[in-house]
Amino acid sequence: MAWALTDAASAQAQDYELRFVRSLPLYLPEIGLDEPSGLSVDDKGKGFWIVSDNTKAVFWLDAGGGLQRQYEDPRLHDLEGIALDAENKRLLLVSEETASLIEVGLQPPHPISRRPLSEMVSYIDLEEVLPDRRNGLEGITIDPLTGTVFVVSERDPKLLIEISSDLESVVGVHDLDRVPVPKESNHDDVSGIVMDTLRNGFWVVSDTGRSVDFLSRDLGDGKTFDLYWEIDGKRRRLHNPEGVGLSPDGRFLFVLSDDGRDSKLVQYQVGSVQ
């Protein structure tokens, strides 16, 4: 199955809706992909970068559905999120248990390095907001315009952490529980994030809420979308969404679920409701 990662039409930066397009089963324990946990879309629309939190490797899924392991290394431990930094030719990964960012170079010899949050210069005491460093970090995304890195933590309170492009400094920490979202929103965690420069905001998925929020860039407001997929003409709730990515042109949202043998990659079209 070939994935449509781009569309000729331009996206609307106003109100919108998500429409299910297709899904792909993504449970392959024979190669270690049995707990999908993070997703990033290639900037040229050629495929997806995926991590599985029990496997010390990065996976590449091409647009035609071919899957392979890459960058295997013992340091790729307990991975919960992944983001492509095309400008700096690297992948950035989140390791939850070590409360670290891991950098993987995309050019030979593919250097790998780890940067714990505790070693970053910070304007606040991170121990106060992240007392349990072995739990919490879940997703990562990069602002392609500034290089700023954003990491989400699911612990109470849910946090959006801003990190400098050189991974030297924590430059901002934001309480996501303070973002106004619809009252019917029933999620209490975050499991993945991707920046949307076209609409000037973030898409943030919740595995417990089986939903995705769109949050404005200034975190002044949010909108919640329940996540569904379809089979045999029947609509079903998407269980345990863990990763989220956006097509290069902003037309399609991709959500990765960790649901055992029913794990899948789901594509949605972001459509205007005007």
Side-chain angles (χ1 to χ4, degrees):
M1 176 187 296
W3 293 83
L5 295 183
T6 59
D7 190 289
S10 62
Q12 299 294 319
Q14 303 295 325
D15 204 6
Y16 41 85
E17 63 182 1
L18 294 183
R19 294 193 291 269
F20 172 81
V21 176
R22 71 185 80 185
S23 65
L24 175 72
L26 213 57
Y27 177 74
L28 294 163
E30 61 271 18
I31 64 169
L33 185 57
D34 53 356
E35 293 185 20
S37 56
L39 175 73
S40 185
V41 181
D42 175 63
D43 67 318
K44 299 294 192 299
K46 295 181 178 180
F48 309 86
W49 297 101
I50 295 172
V51 289
S52 181
D53 60 13
N54 66 334
T55 304
K56 296 178 175 64
V58 175
F59 296 87
W60 169 253
L61 175 68
D62 66 42
L67 184 70
Q68 57 183 303
R69 289 170 66 129
Q70 295 190 358
Y71 311 125
E72 299 186 47
D73 191 278
R75 288 167 290 184
L76 303 181
H77 177 65
D78 195 36
L79 302 178
E80 290 289 344
I82 184 169
L84 170 67
D85 183 359
E87 179 68 21
N88 293 302
K89 297 179 176 57
R90 63 181 179 175
L91 294 170
L92 293 182
L93 303 91
V94 168
S95 172
E96 182 180 21
E97 186 171 319
T98 62
S100 303
L101 302 190
I102 299 174
E103 182 178 1
V104 179
L106 289 175
Q107 294 184 324
H110 308 296
I112 296 176
S113 60
R114 184 171 68 88
R115 179 61 61 90
L117 282 181
S118 61
E119 294 182 3
M120 297 181 188
V121 176
S122 178
Y123 73 103
I124 65 170
D125 184 356
L126 281 177
E127 293 292 337
E128 292 185 1
V129 295
L130 291 170
D132 183 2
R133 291 188 302 155
R134 290 183 177 272
N135 289 285
L137 299 187
E138 285 288 326
I140 184 170
T141 191
I142 299 167
D143 183 344
L145 302 179
T146 66
T148 301
V149 179
F150 295 89
V151 177
V152 286
S153 171
E154 69 177 350
R155 291 306 170 196
D156 190 15
K158 299 190 294 290
L159 299 175
L160 178 66
I161 303 169
E162 278 186 75
I163 299 170
S164 60
S165 178
D166 59 9
L167 308 184
E168 292 287 341
S169 306
V170 173
V171 297
V173 176
H174 311 276
D175 186 347
L176 293 179
D177 286 331
R178 296 184 178 182
V179 180
V181 293
K183 292 181 179 180
E184 62 270 18
S185 177
N186 63 353
H187 54 277
D188 58 11
D189 75 341
V190 292
S191 53
I193 185 172
V194 66
M195 189 163 196
D196 187 335
T197 56
L198 184 65
R199 300 173 183 85
N200 196 28
F202 303 93
W203 295 94
V204 181
V205 289
S206 166
D207 54 1
T208 60
R210 294 181 290 175
S211 60
V212 61
D213 286 346
F214 179 80
L215 308 180
S216 62
R217 176 65 177 81
D218 62 5
L219 302 179
D221 60 82
K223 182 175 181 179
T224 297
F225 301 84
D226 290 333
L227 291 172
Y228 294 90
W229 64 290
E230 297 178 9
I231 184 171
D232 298 329
K234 296 181 180 180
R235 192 168 74 155
R236 305 176 185 272
R237 287 298 295 270
L238 184 66
H239 292 285
N240 209 29
E242 285 285 337
V244 61
L246 193 69
S247 64
D249 60 7
R251 291 288 291 172
F252 298 107
L253 192 75
F254 299 89
V255 178
L256 182 70
S257 74
D258 176 11
D259 190 23
R261 295 181 180 276
D262 291 324
S263 298
K264 58 180 62 66
L265 178 63
V266 185
Q267 179 181 11
Y268 302 91
Q269 184 172 11
V270 186
S272 171
V273 297
Q274 292 185 327

